[in-house]
Each structure stands twice: as structure tokens, then as C-alpha cells.
Amino acid sequence: PPPPAGGCTLNGSPVRVGVEPLADAVVATGFAPTEASLAPMVRGIAAVGARARTVRMLGSAAIMLAWVACGRLSAYFEADLNAWDSAAGVLLVREAGGLVSDLRGGPFGIASRPMLASNAAAHAELREVLRDARVLGLDPL
């Protein structure tokens, strides 16, 4: 289970991640316009799109993570992020009761680049879907 939430709020009101499983999930993603990033993310979008309610791209890792934290999105994944794109959003998701890991299921740290952030109900299944689609990070060129 996720650690207890300690303080994520929106306009002064506490927020929590959603509780929907992958089949009902609205999943967000994004990618850099490079071949190493594009190939795994297209595989991921196809694989997740076949199992989730829908897949969206909003164009900002920070907003997508904030929306996971307040339950507007169920999950967010990306193969390659910089710390300045993810650090604040990771904190929001964790404080709202969500899970954040690297795409292999390992712990996510400030130096991690591949990411999966979601509610507890969708996390393990989403990680398996991405693993089966070989979405673990950038593809070697």
C-alpha cells in the first residue's frame, strides 16, 4: 500500500489520487521528439490504449503529474524525463497517496528518468503492460 498522504491540497482542500483500475483509467503520457524516445512510447501508447479507458497527452509532465495527484488522471508514464520536469509532481503524487516507480518497477529517485506514476489500483497492471510492450526507458540506437 502507498505511504499515508501528508499534505497535497488544491485551493486549500486535500486531494487524493483516484481508485480506478486500469480498465477504467485515463492514462497520460508524453515523449521527446527523438527516435530513442518515440519508438518505446508509441509501443506504450498502443499497449496501454488497448487496456485503459483512454490515453491522453497534455504536453506538460508537471500538469499531468498534478492531475494524477488530484484524481483527474489515473496514471502518467514516460520513458525519459529530466528532474526539473518531474520532481515537484512526484512529490504531489506521493503526498496524495499515489505510487511512483521507474518503468521497471524499481524505486523512483531524483536521478531516475523513466517514470510511472499512478493510483494503487492501476500501478502493477500498468507496469506489466508497459514491460510486455518493452517500454522500460529509451530504446538503444
Side-chain angles (χ1 to χ4, degrees):
C8 188
T9 63
L10 174 63
N11 297 326
S13 298
V15 296
R16 297 284 298 169
V17 295
V19 296
E20 59 284 345
L22 182 57
D24 298 323
V26 177
V27 179
T29 192
F31 56 88
T34 66
E35 187 177 339
S37 180
L38 179 62
M41 296 311 296
V42 168
R43 288 193 308 269
I45 291 166
V48 172
R51 302 279 294 274
R53 182 172 145 211
T54 189
V55 177
R56 300 281 188 245
M57 292 178 59
L58 304 178
S60 164
I63 195 70
M64 290 184 273
L65 288 165
W67 282 17
V68 170
C70 67
R72 293 177 185 169
L73 292 170
S74 312
Y76 169 70
F77 72 96
E78 191 157 344
D80 188 45
L81 282 171
N82 291 301
W84 54 81
D85 292 318
S86 62
V90 167
L91 179 63
L92 293 174
V93 170
R94 287 178 172 160
E95 289 293 311
L99 302 176
V100 183
S101 68
D102 68 18
L103 290 174
R104 295 177 185 271
F108 185 87
I110 195 70
S112 300
R113 296 187 66 95
M115 157 191 286
L116 170 59
S118 72
N119 67 48
H123 200 84
E125 185 180 1
L126 187 50
R127 193 181 66 228
E128 289 175 22
V129 168
L130 292 168
R131 181 199 64 216
D132 292 348
R134 299 180 337 276
V135 182
L136 305 171
L138 296 175
D139 274 1
L141 294 178

